[in-house]
Amino acid sequence: MSTERVRLVGDAAIEILCDLGMRGLTHRAVDAAAGLPPGSTSNLARSRAALLELALARLTELEDAHFGELLTRPLPADRRAAMAELLAVSTHKMIEVDRRRSVARYELALEATRRPELRAVYDDIGRRYRDQGVAMFTEAGTADPARQGRQLVAFTEGLLFDAVVGAGGVPTLDDLRAAFAEYLSAVFRDASPT
């Protein structure tokens, strides 16, 4: 099984999830969307559960590349401003550039509430992102990085969900900068000055 074929199938599954939702995601539909001969997808993912896990794995690979680039930068002296900018730019990209990917992720999140095997995978991935938030706040020297890291993910997810599938409209990059600056101002209030 080639890595390129797995990526192609994963990308097609993500597109189908965005366009047609969970009901539209079938092995046959993925074969067609990926331009592969019939049966190709089932050679990679025999069951529907395996196809969902493959789509989630590909989505995670794409999001890891997005966040990995941002989170490996060292924070400058003005950590709060740097964190607000990093979070605003990242969230803006997920709303504007990667909007379809965000919709597919929400489809998978809802399906994970009904499939314990997918829930385990989804929870493990979510834990990794929360851990990155904890690491960011630990480096910044905040009062309670574990709690604050979890809350940062919840805050960001709320902004993202509202912009992508909610009724709140699409925030500009400046709107997001202001939102994260205000949020981080409250988090840093109890921390030593940075």
Side-chain angles (χ1 to χ4, degrees), residues 84-85 88 155 159 172-185:
E85 181 67 14
F155 180 77
L159 288 171
T172 65
L173 181 54
D174 285 340
D175 292 336
L176 291 168
R177 284 180 174 127
F180 281 109
E182 290 168 6
Y183 175 80
L184 291 172
S185 178

Side-chain angles (χ1 to χ4, degrees), residues 85-156:
E85 181 67 14
L86 181 146
L87 292 163
V89 168
S90 174
T91 304
H92 188 260
K93 183 175 187 281
M94 291 182 74
I95 292 168
E96 291 289 343
V97 178
D98 297 329
R99 182 181 200 86
R100 295 176 59 75
R101 197 182 302 161
S102 297
V103 170
R105 185 163 57 86
Y106 290 130
E107 286 284 343
L108 288 165
L110 289 172
E111 189 66 13
T113 66
R114 297 179 282 275
R115 291 179 175 266
E117 71 280 2
L118 190 60
R119 174 91 266 155
V121 175
Y122 195 85
D123 287 350
D124 183 53
I125 293 164
R127 192 169 11 292
R128 288 182 16 224
Y129 290 122
R130 284 188 297 281
D131 289 348
Q132 289 172 345
V134 171
M136 185 184 295
F137 283 121
T138 299
E139 181 184 346
T142 62
D144 188 353
R147 179 178 53 80
Q148 292 158 338
R150 289 189 310 271
Q151 289 174 343
L152 173 66
V153 171
F155 180 77
T156 305

